[in-house]
Amino acid sequence: MKIFNPDNEYTFGEIIGIILSFLGGVLALATISAFLNYYFKKYYVEGGNLVFIHGVLQKEKTSIPLCKIQSLRMKRGFMYRLLDMRGVSFDTLASNTAEIELILDDKDWNMLFNQVEMQENGLEEGLEIGQDETVNNRNRRLDVRNVNLIKGAFCQNHLKGMVILAGLFVTLWNQLMSVNDKAAVYVIDYASAHIDFSSFPLIVLVSVAFILYIVMLVLWIGKVFFQYFNMDIQMDEKQLFFESGLVSRNSIRFSYDKICTVYVKRNLIERWLNCCTIMLKQALNATDEKRGADVKIYGSNEAGNFLDWWLGKNYASSNLVASASSGYGLLGYVIRYDFLLSLLATVVLCYYGLYTWIIVPVVYLLVSLAKGLSAVRQSRITLKEDYLEVSNGKFAEVKNYFKYANVEVVRIVATPFTPHFHRVNLVVSTNGTSFVMRSLKEQEAREIYEWLLCRTSRLSS
């Protein structure tokens, strides 16, 4: 109010009245918007289809077979829990947004949930079973305690925190310099005039950066804790049920055959603390990935139990069919940009005579070389009798598991160096993930290529 009308003096009562009037207007608009958005939405189940009618002036009718639902997600925020309601979203593979979004009470939710389950089980009619009984029938439960959740959040890539911290400093500097030229010159002149008084020992600067990093780490752990608090993972022979959240409880339910890839990561800290990160990947046009609501399991050591459920209890003893590892061509691919950046920085430093600072690009290049060598050591593709495993990652060990039935595209890519070194790239894609195995021996890659084509064509027929 002072900005738009600085000449007018307001009493405290007038200020409170204006603020309350403004909030009342916003609340009224929100109420009208919510009424128009949700009151005219109707749904019913008929003939194995979910029929959804919506629209105020122009009525639209959407019909989706229950068997085509990719995932069923539910959100229970603070207001939803107060009113005993829940927001429900359905995804299919026909669109990159949620096909249907509803707000239901418990009775309607249980009815719809049972209809979806009966349809997936191939039942046209059946006894009505409450959701609680259905949940109790799930025969496996993964134990993910909140202590493990905090431990898993701490184990994540700390380099991201350093990048964010550096980005924060760069952003502040850019904002300062973009105010105007006079302000920038004034700040620089002031800093130059008081450099003797404002300089700090190196230990002070390092301490401040360390404290800021600890604050960012705590904020990151808090974000993960709020999102995945009291994680509940339940599985039966066909379904996965995942629920988490402190203030807002979010859940997702889908059939295990809707998972295209299971991702298991162990970085150095996770190996020390005997835990891992598990991520379930679905189709690329499922909305979970867009909204940051992928099924992620931090801090547990349940990768074996989960793969037992998804790949079968004997997955660890499945016979080896073929395997291939990447060569040092992958090293060149990993460090290509780092090498150019280090070379450019070295030339610039030499041009200005700052020879002492050349140590910075040299150290950066050495770290990049270590990263590339680690990537070469870990990069391989392994074909087992029952599943396919792709190992990649740089400093962290990453294993991606998927079934042969999920493989959709396989191709071999020759490079300009192939005629000389007989190395090629192998690309394997599902409907939700794509992996490029670089610098494989040509003969090994072609054997894997032919075997995959034969196996996937036999499964599709």
Side-chain angles (χ1 to χ4, degrees):
M1 288 182 288
K2 290 291 186 183
I3 291 175
F4 292 106
N5 195 1
D7 296 331
N8 194 3
E9 294 292 334
Y10 296 97
T11 65
F12 179 76
E14 289 175 334
I15 292 176
I16 296 298
I18 294 174
I19 292 176
L20 292 178
S21 300
F22 176 76
L23 292 178
V26 171
L27 183 60
L29 290 176
T31 304
I32 295 172
S33 176
F35 177 81
L36 294 176
N37 282 332
Y38 291 100
Y39 181 78
F40 296 98
K41 291 182 178 180
K42 311 293 181 184
Y43 85 96
Y44 58 91
V45 177
E46 182 180 58
N49 297 319
L50 177 63
V51 182
F52 180 52
I53 302 173
H54 58 102
V56 181
L57 300 178
Q58 181 179 352
K59 292 289 185 180
E60 295 185 21
K61 184 176 181 180
T62 303
S63 180
I64 298 177
L66 294 177
C67 60
K68 296 296 184 180
I69 294 176
Q70 168 75 13
S71 61
L72 188 153
R73 293 177 291 111
M74 181 187 70
K75 179 178 180 180
R76 298 197 73 186
F78 180 72
M79 293 300 297
Y80 286 92
R81 294 165 78 174
L82 282 180
L83 300 174
D84 202 20
M85 306 286 286
R86 63 192 75 206
V88 183
S89 300
F90 302 86
D91 291 319
T92 71
L93 297 184
S95 174
N96 60 354
T97 59
E99 304 287 346
I100 294 178
E101 293 180 301
L102 301 171
I103 297 179
L104 307 175
D105 59 17
D106 282 341
K107 180 180 178 181
D108 289 339
W109 158 249
N110 289 331
M111 182 192 69
L112 182 58
F113 182 85
N114 295 330
Q115 290 287 337
V116 173
E117 281 210 328
M118 287 190 294
Q119 183 69 27
E120 289 179 343
N121 293 329
L123 300 176
E124 297 296 334
E125 295 180 357
L127 298 176
E128 293 187 1
I129 305 175
Q131 184 189 6
D132 292 337
E133 184 178 348
T134 304
V135 171
N136 290 333
N137 287 334
R138 295 190 173 95
N139 55 17
R140 184 175 297 185
R141 192 168 193 161
L142 297 187
D143 181 22
V144 183
R145 293 175 294 176
N146 293 324
V147 174
N148 288 346
L149 180 64
I150 296 175
K151 180 175 70 173
F154 173 77
C155 289
Q156 299 314 300
N157 192 353
H158 289 232
L159 182 60
K160 292 181 180 179
M162 298 302 294
V163 171
I164 295 173
L165 185 59
L168 178 63
F169 285 128
V170 171
T171 302
L172 290 175
W173 176 255
N174 289 337
Q175 290 296 324
L176 177 65
M177 299 298 290
S178 63
V179 175
N180 57 57
D181 294 336
K182 292 183 179 180
V185 171
Y186 174 78
V187 172
I188 294 174
D189 291 343
Y190 180 84
S192 300
H194 297 80
I195 188 66
D196 295 333
F197 302 99
S198 60
S199 59
F200 295 98
L202 180 61
I203 186 64
V204 175
L205 297 177
V206 172
S207 300
V208 171
F210 178 75
I211 292 172
L212 289 175
Y213 179 73
I214 293 298
V215 171
M216 295 180 62
L217 183 62
V218 170
L219 291 175
W220 158 250
I221 294 177
K223 174 181 178 291
V224 173
F225 186 78
F226 271 83
Q227 186 173 356
Y228 296 104
F229 177 79
N230 275 356
M231 188 182 299
D232 184 17
I233 306 172
Q234 302 176 31
M235 303 173 293
D236 63 13
E237 294 180 356
K238 295 183 179 181
Q239 305 290 337
L240 172 71
F241 176 80
F242 176 87
E243 185 176 26
S244 64
L246 179 59
V247 178
S248 177
R249 297 292 290 178
N250 297 286
S251 67
I252 180 171
R253 171 206 169 277
F254 49 82
S255 302
Y256 79 98
D257 57 355
K258 302 293 176 65
I259 304 170
C260 66
T261 306
V262 174
Y263 161 105
V264 179
K265 177 184 72 69
R266 286 185 175 90
N267 59 27
L268 182 62
I269 304 176
E270 286 173 321
R271 287 198 293 268
W272 283 346
L273 297 179
N274 192 29
C275 62
C276 66
T277 298
I278 306 172
M279 185 186 304
L280 312 184
K281 297 186 178 181
Q282 302 179 72
L284 284 177
N285 55 346
T287 58
D288 292 280
E289 183 176 357
K290 257 182 145 178
R291 301 186 179 188
D294 283 330
V295 176
K296 297 179 183 178
I297 307 171
Y298 291 111
S300 73
N301 195 23
E302 298 283 356
N305 291 332
F306 193 88
L307 292 171
D308 277 344
W309 170 76
W310 190 58
L311 295 174
K313 293 184 178 181
N314 298 321
Y315 88 95
S317 60
S318 184
N319 295 325
L320 177 66
V321 175
S323 66
S325 300
S326 295
Y328 286 99
L330 177 62
L331 173 64
Y333 179 83
V334 172
I335 71 170
R336 64 194 190 285
Y337 294 127
D338 295 336
F339 175 77
L340 293 175
L341 182 61
S342 300
L343 181 62
L344 179 62
T346 302
V347 171
V348 171
L349 291 172
C350 290
Y351 178 80
Y352 287 102
L354 302 173
Y355 300 106
T356 305
W357 289 94
I358 294 178
I359 189 65
V360 175
V362 170
V363 171
Y364 179 78
L365 184 59
L366 290 176
V367 173
S368 179
L369 283 171
K371 178 178 65 175
L373 290 172
S374 179
V376 172
R377 181 176 61 85
Q378 298 188 81
S379 178
R380 62 185 177 276
I381 180 171
T382 304
L383 272 62
K384 295 293 187 74
E385 187 67 34
D386 302 314
Y387 63 93
L388 177 63
E389 177 186 321
V390 172
S391 300
N392 52 20
K394 296 178 177 67
F395 291 118
E397 177 188 78
V398 178
K399 292 186 177 181
N400 302 273
Y401 301 87
F402 47 98
K403 303 175 183 178
Y404 292 108
N406 294 331
V407 176
E408 295 191 352
V409 177
V410 184
R411 68 176 183 269
I412 290 180
V413 180
T415 69
F417 303 101
T418 298
H420 306 286
F421 300 101
H422 303 287
R423 295 274 180 170
V424 296
N425 299 334
L426 180 68
V427 182
V428 182
S429 301
T430 70
N431 63 353
T433 50
S434 183
F435 302 95
V436 182
M437 305 300 299
R438 301 184 183 278
S439 190
L440 301 180
K441 291 182 179 179
E442 187 174 8
Q443 182 60 33
E444 294 178 350
R446 293 197 179 278
E447 289 177 0
I448 293 175
Y449 173 82
E450 297 293 341
W451 201 91
L452 283 175
L453 287 183
C454 179
R455 182 64 181 266
T456 53
S457 61
R458 187 167 69 243
L459 288 173
S460 60
S461 61

